[in-house]
């Protein structure tokens, strides 16, 4: 113990004598964001957009934050921030160019391309409706996805474990599995009493089928010798399913979950565009009809962040559960 | 862990075969063999001759086509934790830590509560007390096999079935594990049956060496190895026995 703490102190002592350094990336980022801010503020817009001033202030504040960080942060101690430095610079440049070619010069065709302050304006003025749409989409996706993967997982265990279940179930799965879930839309909308239930069913179908197929194949691929070991140790059927078959099949199950997640997004948006009263898919559809392209981009950006966030979350869960595998984590 | 009451085993006129593509491949033919409680017996013979099948029958993983296997006086019909099989591959569950693997037996039988110190003891017996939290993929071949042996020992088996457990290890690791097996057998007092191709290993470890013919396996020779432990591989008595066994094996291979 004492050994470790001594070394820890030594580490601090040596870090204290690191000479003062400027984070150069921060300076350049401050410059690129500052230029975007200045161009937005000082040059006139070709037509009136909301939130031009707000956008200039926002980018200006961010530029000041980068400027402060450039002097306050010791690069050697913040490798993460330094690593993303080039991204911060390029993002500022991207905003600058975007600003110039849309709001300031009007080079890009007008209803279809919105300047960045257009998006900001949407978030500031339409945030309540966007939040409502996120909630609706979240409810539909959550119900469908979790219902789908639960049923798919249980069905996959049954199909992989029981020969009789596989005899009757596998042909169905092989027939229905390859059909894209969106092909069921016409039937789903008249079979189910409400469009919401139909949409939940479609999302569940899209996410459940890959999980079922991969769980079943994962379980049927588990090496016989693991069961032999478990049986000689006195394990019953239940223990063999929950402690051998399922953990051994888990890497496959996660492949199915990732596939199901992507399919569920695809079906979710289609279902919302067709039948929903709210939701992000509906928001895109509705605003396209009114040529409110700034709203469409704002919705797309939210959708991208949500989907990417969910994928990231699944990766985190996988890394936690499959830490035993060589090469992961 | 205290010593156990060793199990006596009797193979009574066993014939057994496997269904390969619709035709029956005979593996064992009319094999009878008595193993006394506490005895260490090595089964030696050409590879694929059916020695491992005898272990699977004794473990209760399979039931014989003809004849029966008796544990003391009871016919064996199912696997049980008093007869544990250690395989050639360590077959550790890769999703469990070493400790998780070792406690699998008591856990599966719902007997784990209050037995964690026994798990520690089993780990210590095989020299893995510092590797309880390691994942199987982090272990060397010898350590993995030690963990597999600990996973067997924690159940206090009365009969330990060893299916070439050292077959894939390098020679140095092998020598160490041979010493460990003898030590554990002497300390714990279980009955041991070891399947091996290695004549020297059989002579170093076993009280009795049973030599099998090629498939379908029949017993062709039995040798008593009446030498005290620790044995030395340059013991003239062992060298004489080795010559005899190798001659018999050479003859068998020519057939």
């Amino acid at each position: 113990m004492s050994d470790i703490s001594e070394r820890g102190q030594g580490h601090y002592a040596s870090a204290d004598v690191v000479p003062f350094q400027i984070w150069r990336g921060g300076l350049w980022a401050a410059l690129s964001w500052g230029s975007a801010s200045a161009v937005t503020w000082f040059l006139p817009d070709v037509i009136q957009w909301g939130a031009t001033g707000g956008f200039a202030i926002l980018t200006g504040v961010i530029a000041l934050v980068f400027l402060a960080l450039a002097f306050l942060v010791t690069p050697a101690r913040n490798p993460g921030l330094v690593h993303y430095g080039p991204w911060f610079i390029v993002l500022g440049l991207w905003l600058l160019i975007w600003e110039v070619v849309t709001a300031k010069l009007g080079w890009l065709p007008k209803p279809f391309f919105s300047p960045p302050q257009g998006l900001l304006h949407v978030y500031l003025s339409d945030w309540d409706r966007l939040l409502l749409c996120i909630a609706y989409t979240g409810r539909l996706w959550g119900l469908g996805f979790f219902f789908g993967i639960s049923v798919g997982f249980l069905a996959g265990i049954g199909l992989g474990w029981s020969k009789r279940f596989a005899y009757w179930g596998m042909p169905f799965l092989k027939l229905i599995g390859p059909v894209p879930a969106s092909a069921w839309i016409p039937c789903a909308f008249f079979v189910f009493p409400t469009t919401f239930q139909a949409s939940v069913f479609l999302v569940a179908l899209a996410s459940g089928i890959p999980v079922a197929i991969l769980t079943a194949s994962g379980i049927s691929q588990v090496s016989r010798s693991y069961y032999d070991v478990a049986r000689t140790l006195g394990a019953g059927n239940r223990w063999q399913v929950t402690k051998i078959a399922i953990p051994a099949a888990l890497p496959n199950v996660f492949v199915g979950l990732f596939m199901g997640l992507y399919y569920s997004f695809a079906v979710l948006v289609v279902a919302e565009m067709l039948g929903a009263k709210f939701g992000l898919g509906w928001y895109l559809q509705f605003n396209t009809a009114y040529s409110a392209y700034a709203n469409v981009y704002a919705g797309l950006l939210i959708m991208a962040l949500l989907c990417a966030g969910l994928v990231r979350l699944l990766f985190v869960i996988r890394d936690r559960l499959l830490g035993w595998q060589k090469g992961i984590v | 862990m205290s010593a156990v009451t060793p199990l006596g085993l009797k193979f009574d006129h066993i014939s057994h075969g496997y269904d390969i593509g619709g035709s029956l491949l005979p593996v064992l033919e009319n094999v009878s063999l008595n193993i006394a409680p506490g005895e260490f017996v090595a089964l030696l013979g050409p590879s694929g001759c059916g020695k491992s099948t005898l272990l699977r029958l004794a473990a209760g993983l399979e039931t014989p086509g003809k004849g029966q296997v008796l544990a003391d006086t009871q016919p064996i019909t199912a696997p049980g934790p008093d007869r544990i099989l250690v395989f050639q591959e360590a077959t550790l569950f890769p999703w469990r830590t070493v400790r998780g693997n070792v406690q699998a037996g008591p856990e599966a039988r719902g007997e784990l509560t209050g037995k964690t110190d026994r798990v520690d003891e089993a780990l210590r017996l095989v020299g893995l007390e510092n590797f309880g939290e390691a994942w199987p993929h982090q272990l060397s071949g010898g350590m993995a096999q030690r963990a597999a042996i600990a996973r067997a020992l924690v159940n206090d088996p009365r009969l330990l079935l060893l299916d070439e457990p050292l077959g894939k290890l390098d020679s140095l690791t092998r020598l160490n594990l041979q010493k460990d097996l003898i030590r554990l057998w002497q300390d714990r007092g279980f009955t041991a049956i070891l399947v091996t191709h290695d004549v020297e290993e059989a002579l170093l470890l076993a009280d009795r060496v049973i030599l099998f013919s090629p498939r379908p396996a029949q017993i062709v020779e039995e040798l008593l190895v009446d030498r005290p432990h620790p044995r030395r591989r340059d013991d003239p008595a062992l060298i004489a026995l080795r010559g005899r066994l190798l001659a018999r094996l050479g003859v068998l291979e020519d057939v």
Side-chain angles (χ1 to χ4, degrees):
Chain A
M1 266 326 265
S2 67
D3 195 3
I4 289 169
S5 65
E6 268 169 33
R7 226 182 297 154
Q9 282 164 7
H11 175 76
Y12 272 94
S14 66
D16 280 343
V17 297
V18 166
F20 175 73
Q21 264 188 319
I22 291 173
W23 174 39
R24 284 164 173 277
L27 279 185
W28 286 107
L31 185 64
S32 74
W33 285 76
S35 337
S37 174
V39 164
T40 311
W41 187 261
F42 292 112
L43 296 183
D45 287 354
V46 283
I47 57 165
Q48 192 63 45
W49 297 96
T52 297
F55 181 71
I57 292 166
L58 184 66
T59 45
V61 167
I62 292 172
L64 288 176
V65 169
F66 279 126
L67 191 64
L69 284 175
F71 288 99
L72 294 175
V73 154
T74 312
R77 286 203 207 151
N78 293 279
L81 196 65
V82 173
H83 176 77
Y84 287 108
W87 266 105
F88 298 139
I89 301 166
V90 167
L91 275 177
L93 286 176
W94 161 254
L95 289 175
L96 172 66
I97 295 166
W98 183 7
E99 180 66 33
V100 169
V101 297
T102 51
K104 304 305 174 191
L105 298 175
W107 284 356
L108 293 175
K110 227 157 283 127
F112 304 110
F113 291 93
S114 158
Q117 59 261 47
L119 270 72
L120 185 64
H121 179 69
V122 171
Y123 292 131
L124 291 175
S125 61
D126 210 16
W127 60 270
D128 45 352
R129 184 147 46 161
L130 274 168
L131 278 184
L132 197 63
C133 285
I134 291 171
Y136 269 83
T137 298
R139 182 178 66 146
L140 172 56
W141 178 81
L143 279 172
F145 183 73
F146 287 106
F147 185 67
I149 62 169
S150 309
V151 173
F153 181 61
L154 292 176
I157 294 171
L159 291 166
W161 183 258
S162 152
K163 288 226 163 66
R164 190 180 298 175
F165 201 74
Y167 175 81
W168 293 107
M170 230 31 192
F172 275 105
L173 197 59
K174 281 184 178 158
L175 187 69
I176 292 170
V179 179
S182 45
W184 297 98
I185 285 175
C187 326
F189 277 110
F190 69 74
V191 167
F192 286 90
T194 68
T195 53
F196 179 71
Q197 288 167 354
S199 306
V200 170
F201 167 77
L202 291 169
V203 173
L205 193 70
S207 40
I209 282 179
V211 173
I213 291 174
L214 277 133
T215 305
S217 81
I219 285 185
S220 58
Q221 282 166 21
V222 177
S223 161
R224 250 340 310 150
S225 49
Y226 290 136
Y227 297 121
D228 281 348
V229 171
R231 285 170 63 211
T232 63
L233 295 175
N237 259 329
R238 194 193 158 87
W239 200 86
Q240 289 180 51
V241 173
T242 56
K243 304 287 175 150
I244 306 282
I246 292 176
L250 215 52
N252 282 50
V253 175
F254 268 95
V255 175
L257 284 172
F258 278 105
M259 290 169 68
L261 190 60
Y262 282 107
Y263 293 160
S264 75
F265 295 152
V267 173
L268 174 76
V269 174
V270 175
E272 280 186 337
M273 285 181 170
L274 288 175
K277 300 242 159 43
F278 270 111
L280 289 169
W282 168 86
Y283 190 85
L284 298 185
Q285 176 92 337
F286 178 83
N287 284 297
T288 310
Y290 284 88
S291 293
Y293 285 98
N295 297 60
V296 174
Y297 294 127
L300 273 174
L301 186 61
I302 288 177
M303 208 179 269
L305 291 174
L306 286 178
C307 295
L310 287 169
V311 170
R312 180 85 206 108
L313 187 67
L314 191 58
F315 266 109
V316 170
I317 295 171
R318 184 200 66 164
D319 290 351
R320 283 197 79 141
L321 287 179
L322 297 186
W324 51 269
Q325 277 190 316
K326 215 188 277 193
I328 288 192
V329 182
Chain B
M1 284 186 210
S2 53
V4 294
T5 317
L7 191 85
L9 196 70
K10 182 174 184 184
F11 293 98
D12 188 12
H13 297 93
I14 302 286
S15 295
H16 195 67
Y18 290 110
D19 188 5
I20 308 268
S23 64
L24 191 76
L25 178 76
V27 175
L28 297 168
E29 194 151 296
N30 202 19
V31 173
S32 289
L33 179 63
N34 272 315
I35 292 165
E39 198 179 10
F40 198 134
V41 174
L43 310 183
L44 197 64
S47 51
C49 81
K51 300 161 296 193
S52 302
T53 305
L54 276 177
L55 294 196
R56 290 181 68 83
L57 294 174
L61 289 172
E62 294 173 31
T63 45
K66 269 188 215 157
Q68 58 180 354
V69 190
L70 300 171
D72 291 331
T73 53
Q74 294 294 315
I76 292 171
T77 53
D82 55 343
R83 294 166 272 119
I84 301 235
L85 183 53
V86 177
F87 297 84
Q88 181 173 19
E89 309 282 347
T91 330
L92 297 175
F93 304 129
W95 53 88
R96 291 179 158 240
T97 60
V98 169
R99 169 180 297 280
N101 270 280
V102 172
Q103 70 186 31
E107 187 191 309
R109 299 191 302 277
E111 297 169 2
L112 190 63
T113 37
K115 283 211 179 166
T116 50
D117 50 331
R118 294 176 48 82
V119 174
D120 286 324
E121 198 183 343
L123 285 169
R124 201 162 47 241
L125 274 176
V126 297
L128 288 179
E129 59 270 33
N130 295 325
F131 291 88
E133 306 316 315
W135 294 108
H137 74 79
Q138 298 170 311
L139 301 183
S140 68
M143 286 160 82
Q145 203 53 269
R146 282 170 197 277
I149 291 168
R151 179 171 65 182
L153 290 179
V154 79
N155 305 289
D156 282 331
R158 300 170 60 209
L159 171 65
L160 192 62
L161 302 158
L162 300 157
D163 190 359
E164 288 191 64
L166 315 182
K168 290 208 165 163
L169 304 180
D170 64 90
S171 48
L172 211 63
T173 312
R174 211 178 155 114
L175 292 180
N176 281 325
L177 270 170
Q178 285 169 353
K179 276 188 216 150
D180 289 343
L181 276 179
I182 280 298
R183 175 177 55 84
L184 292 167
W185 170 68
Q186 287 177 325
D187 289 354
R188 312 298 308 284
F190 47 75
T191 310
I193 308 180
L194 170 75
V195 163
T196 180
H197 306 300
D198 183 342
V199 174
E200 203 164 62
E201 182 169 283
L203 291 170
L204 276 175
L205 299 178
D207 297 327
R208 191 150 57 110
V209 179
I210 316 282
L211 190 62
F212 284 88
S213 69
R215 198 180 51 235
Q218 286 176 303
I219 296 174
V220 290
E221 175 132 14
E222 283 194 40
L223 279 184
L224 279 181
V225 190
D226 192 12
R227 305 293 297 163
H229 290 284
R231 290 176 185 163
R232 293 170 54 92
R233 51 195 67 232
D234 54 1
D235 179 344
L238 290 189
I239 291 175
L241 288 172
R242 181 164 161 244
R244 210 170 125 193
L245 280 172
L246 284 175
R248 250 351 263 267
L249 274 170
V251 170
L252 290 174
E253 272 165 18
D254 289 341
V255 173

